């Protein structure tokens, strides 16, 4: 079987709806499934944010060493560690970016977006020719809309109310955020794959900017999707995302025996459980890895 057939075979056992784009960045061999369909990005939208941040740092518009004081007004529920810190902690911009990726810190993400500007991230995607990546909500907005609490103000009280809502009710499965609309944080697997390829081949604002993005993504600590079934020594630069029935992971996998690297974007919806979505993504990555290594 060719790569396309192998990936389709994996997805034939899935209950969710998956969009996949896989491409070997050396040979150009690729396979795509629903690659032009919009999917909610969940926390994979933090990759475009990271790319825009390093573009701005490369241009001297921001300093990665600048420290920012965090307050109760910055609190965001969900993944991450900064929400557990006492108010008043001062964190460097690069550390915020690192936490945004390696532990998917939502507070760090919204702080970075506040600093560089949400609109600038989407504008940068357009500059790169990626017209099918839309970023309309920060983490707070995404979570509050998904919980049926749109317009809830940030701060200690809003944080408490939103956290309690998730503990009791979770996400509204009929929420607007799950609609495949450019008015949401959506992307096609094809465009997400192209962004990964630009990062992996040093073609962001500069090779230095690309390397900065890769360096952080390679430090990923959440490894239960793309990395899960790959050899332990495999170098992987990735970013996962989950919101409700959406289970995603996108990244660059470096092959053994100097056989290059491939980009993989796996976005999904309608998963009956997070674990099932994770299992499918792990098998997709394993299938692509084994295919390219055996070439």
């Amino acid at each position: 079987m060719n790569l396309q057939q192998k990936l389709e075979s994996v997805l034939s056992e899935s209950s969710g709806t998956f969009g996949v784009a896989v491409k070997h960045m050396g040979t150009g061999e690729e396979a795509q499934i629903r690659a032009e369909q919009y999917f909610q990005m969940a926390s994979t939208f933090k990759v475009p944010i990271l790319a825009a941040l390093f573009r701005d740092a490369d241009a001297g518009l921001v300093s990665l060493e600048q420290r920012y004081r965090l307050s109760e007004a910055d609190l965001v529920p969900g993944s991450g560690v900064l929400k557990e810190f006492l108010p008043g902690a001062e964190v460097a911009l690069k550390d915020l970016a690192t936490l945004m990726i390696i532990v998917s810190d939502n507070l760090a993400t919204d702080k970075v977006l506040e600093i560089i500007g949400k609109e600038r991230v989407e504008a940068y995607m357009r500059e790169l020719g990626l017209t099918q990546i839309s970023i309309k909500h920060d983490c707070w907005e995404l979570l509050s809309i998904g919980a049926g609490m749109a317009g809830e103000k940030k701060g200690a009280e809003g944080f408490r109310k939103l956290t309690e809502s998730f503990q009791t009710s979770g996400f509204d499965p009929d929420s607007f955020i799950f609609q495949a609309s450019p008015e949401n944080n959506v992307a096609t697997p094809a465009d997400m794959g192209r962004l990964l390829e630009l990062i992996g081949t040093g073609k962001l604002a500069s090779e230095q900017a690309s390397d900065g993005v890769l360096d952080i993504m390679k430090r990923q600590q959440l490894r239960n999707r793309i990395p899960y079934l790959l050899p332990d020594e495999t170098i992987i630069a990735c970013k996962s995302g989950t919101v409700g029935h959406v289970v995603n992971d996108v990244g660059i996998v470096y092959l053994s025996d100097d056989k290059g690297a491939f980009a993989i974007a796996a976005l999904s919806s309608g998963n009956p459980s997070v674990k099932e979505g994770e299992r499918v993504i792990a098998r997709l990555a394993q299938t692509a890895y084994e295919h390219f290594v055996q070439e």
Side-chain angles (χ1 to χ4, degrees), residues 2 6 11 26 44 77 99 122 124-125 142 144 155 159 181 189 237 245 278 293:
N2 60 26
K6 291 175 182 177
L11 292 184
T44 66
L99 289 170
E122 186 172 299
Y124 184 44
M125 295 301 101
L142 179 71
S144 57
F159 175 79
S181 162
H245 54 76
E278 290 175 340
V293 165

Side-chain angles (χ1 to χ4, degrees), residues 1-3 6-7 10 22 24 29 226-231 234 253-257 259-262 264 281-295:
M1 291 192 292
N2 60 26
L3 178 60
K6 291 175 182 177
L7 296 178
V10 171
V22 174
H24 191 289
E29 182 180 0
I226 289 173
Y228 189 68
L229 296 175
L230 301 183
T234 307
V253 178
Y254 294 83
L255 300 161
S256 61
D257 302 323
K259 292 200 170 182
F262 69 91
I264 175 170
I281 293 173
R283 290 199 59 219
L284 288 167
Q286 180 188 43
T287 298
Y289 181 94
E290 291 177 349
H291 175 83
F292 290 128
V293 165
Q294 293 165 5
E295 287 282 280

Side-chain angles (χ1 to χ4, degrees), residues 140-166:
W140 178 268
E141 292 164 342
L142 179 71
L143 294 171
S144 57
I145 294 170
M149 297 174 61
E152 183 67 38
K153 292 184 178 180
K154 293 180 74 171
E157 181 61 16
F159 175 79
R160 182 191 64 77
K161 289 164 65 177
L162 192 50
T163 300
E164 286 180 358
S165 175
F166 283 121

Side-chain angles (χ1 to χ4, degrees), residues 66-277:
Q66 176 70 42
R67 291 185 174 272
Y68 294 86
R69 183 181 294 273
L70 306 181
S71 71
E72 288 184 340
D74 296 311
L75 287 170
V76 183
S79 56
V81 298
L82 289 177
K83 65 183 180 181
E84 312 295 345
F85 284 27
L86 292 173
E90 292 190 352
V91 185
L93 181 54
K94 185 175 181 181
D95 292 334
L96 290 170
T98 300
L99 289 170
M100 173 177 74
I101 298 297
I102 71 172
V103 293
S104 203
D105 197 294
N106 288 340
L107 188 161
T109 303
D110 283 6
K111 196 67 180 177
V112 172
L113 273 178
E114 177 188 314
I115 293 163
I116 66 173
K118 182 168 52 181
E119 296 76 13
R120 286 180 57 75
V121 180
E122 186 172 299
Y124 184 44
M125 295 301 101
R126 299 296 175 268
E127 289 177 30
L128 294 173
L130 305 175
T131 60
Q132 307 304 313
I133 295 179
S134 295
I135 296 174
K136 305 302 184 186
H137 307 124
D138 62 19
C139 292
W140 178 268
E141 292 164 342
L142 179 71
L143 294 171
S144 57
I145 294 170
M149 297 174 61
E152 183 67 38
K153 292 184 178 180
K154 293 180 74 171
E157 181 61 16
F159 175 79
R160 182 191 64 77
K161 289 164 65 177
L162 192 50
T163 300
E164 286 180 358
S165 175
F166 283 121
Q167 290 172 344
T168 56
S169 306
F171 284 97
D172 175 4
D174 297 320
S175 171
F176 171 72
I177 64 167
F178 295 115
Q179 294 182 16
S181 162
E183 294 307 309
N184 277 322
N185 289 2
V186 295
T188 61
D191 262 17
M192 183 62 79
R194 292 185 190 106
L195 175 59
L196 294 167
E197 187 177 1
L198 289 170
I199 294 167
T201 56
K203 295 178 181 176
L204 289 182
S206 67
E207 190 169 343
Q208 182 180 5
S210 300
D211 287 346
V213 171
L214 277 174
D215 179 63
I216 289 177
M217 291 181 67
K218 287 176 181 177
R219 299 172 188 268
Q220 178 62 249
Q221 295 185 11
L222 307 174
R223 300 180 63 82
N224 54 357
R225 298 179 191 180
I226 289 173
Y228 189 68
L229 296 175
L230 301 183
D232 290 343
E233 68 276 9
T234 307
I235 297 173
I236 304 157
C238 61
K239 179 72 198 80
S240 57
T242 310
V243 57
H245 54 76
V246 169
V247 182
N248 300 334
D249 205 3
V250 304
I252 298 167
V253 178
Y254 294 83
L255 300 161
S256 61
D257 302 323
D258 296 322
K259 292 200 170 182
F262 69 91
I264 175 170
L267 308 178
S268 73
S269 63
N271 292 284
S273 70
V274 172
K275 286 187 180 298
E276 179 168 326

